[in-house]
Amino acid sequence: LAPSFAGAAQQDRIATTYRNQWASLQGAYVTYSFSYDHYFDNFNSGIGVLLLRDVAGSGDLALTNAGIQYSYDIKINNFWHIRPGLQLYYTQMGIDYFKLTWNDELTTSGTGSTTVELPGFNVVPNMDISTSALIYSERYWGGFAVDHLLTPSYGFWDPTNEDASMPMKLTVFGGAQVIRRGHLFNPVDESLSLAFLFRHQDFFNQLDVGLYWFKSPIMLGFWY
């Protein structure tokens, strides 16, 4: 979501995700991710590592990201903190041309092989940067992130083509704990939180709203 969350748990944290969407179709959408972050209390700093790979379609259109994240926690007063964050990552887009079907292979006189001159690039590597800021207290949080500051190009025919560059993406998020229950000197054992997520990239906009109910050790969430 944002590099400001690196180290936000103030302890070691590992997360991994596997998603296989539309598995019954040929060339299903498969995503893998892995992350690890740690908080250095003596330096008020969080460090994170994030790996992501996404493969889509019959041509194995693949996106690979591998990056490092850094955040720094600034205490404003006894209630509020600000955490600026920065992410530097290597990103790579790739495709397998030999798994694609070209127009001359669809004709009745087709020979099963294409006469289309394939592009000289099937992998496009780039570097990219993201930045963010998070403000939070015990019950409230909010912030923003800006991705693709270097607007890397993903043009396979011509990697220098500016028309194939990735537009910057703006993300705004926030939330609040509206119910918080616990016992004196003990951690919170039940809470209800509301949250929102807004994303803008090029001419696309998306708004998500949701809630989380937590009662130790279970958390349930619903988003629309």
Side-chain angles (χ1 to χ4, degrees):
L1 180 60
S4 293
F5 286 101
Q10 298 193 349
Q11 57 187 347
D12 291 290
R13 175 171 54 179
I14 294 176
T16 183
T17 302
Y18 169 78
R19 180 179 181 178
N20 189 337
Q21 185 174 343
W22 303 323
S24 61
L25 301 180
Q26 182 181 2
Y29 290 70
V30 182
T31 304
Y32 315 84
S33 70
F34 170 84
S35 66
Y36 166 77
D37 66 326
H38 176 81
Y39 185 72
F40 295 89
D41 189 62
N42 293 337
F43 301 98
N44 298 327
S45 298
I47 297 290
V49 177
L50 178 64
L51 305 174
L52 182 142
R53 180 169 174 80
D54 183 78
V55 182
S58 57
D60 287 348
L61 180 64
L63 172 67
T64 303
N65 287 340
I68 56 174
Q69 301 173 327
Y70 174 77
S71 69
Y72 185 79
D73 193 275
I74 303 171
K75 185 177 181 180
I76 303 175
N77 52 39
N78 291 333
F79 302 100
W80 290 95
H81 293 245
I82 290 180
R83 293 177 70 101
L86 183 69
Q87 177 175 266
L88 174 66
Y89 59 101
Y90 170 84
T91 179
Q92 175 181 292
M93 186 76 82
I95 194 169
D96 188 346
Y97 294 116
F98 295 101
K99 290 187 177 181
L100 300 178
T101 301
W102 302 88
N103 59 341
D104 59 350
E105 295 179 271
L106 299 176
T107 62
T108 55
S109 59
T111 61
S113 60
T114 181
T115 59
V116 174
E117 183 178 354
L118 299 182
F121 304 92
N122 62 346
V123 173
V124 182
N126 278 294
M127 299 296 295
D128 208 348
I129 295 175
S130 300
T131 187
S132 65
L134 167 70
I135 182 169
Y136 69 96
S137 65
E138 280 194 357
R139 286 192 174 223
Y140 305 97
W141 69 93
F144 71 91
V146 182
D147 292 297
H148 309 304
L149 288 173
L150 300 184
T151 59
S153 173
Y154 292 109
F156 292 109
W157 262 254
D158 180 7
T160 63
N161 183 4
E162 294 183 359
D163 292 335
S165 62
M166 179 70 70
M168 285 193 294
K169 181 178 73 172
L170 172 65
T171 303
V172 181
F173 51 84
Q177 280 191 346
V178 294
I179 298 176
R180 183 182 177 94
R181 295 173 180 169
H183 302 288
L184 189 63
F185 304 120
N186 286 336
V188 175
D189 58 10
E190 184 176 6
S191 67
L192 178 67
S193 301
L194 304 178
F196 78 92
L197 172 64
F198 173 76
R199 285 172 282 186
H200 168 77
Q201 187 175 25
D202 204 6
F203 50 86
F204 296 99
N205 295 294
Q206 180 173 328
L207 174 64
D208 304 327
V209 292
L211 60 85
Y212 294 102
W213 174 75
F214 167 76
K215 185 172 180 61
S216 182
I218 298 172
M219 176 179 285
L220 300 178
F222 175 82
W223 283 81
Y224 172 78

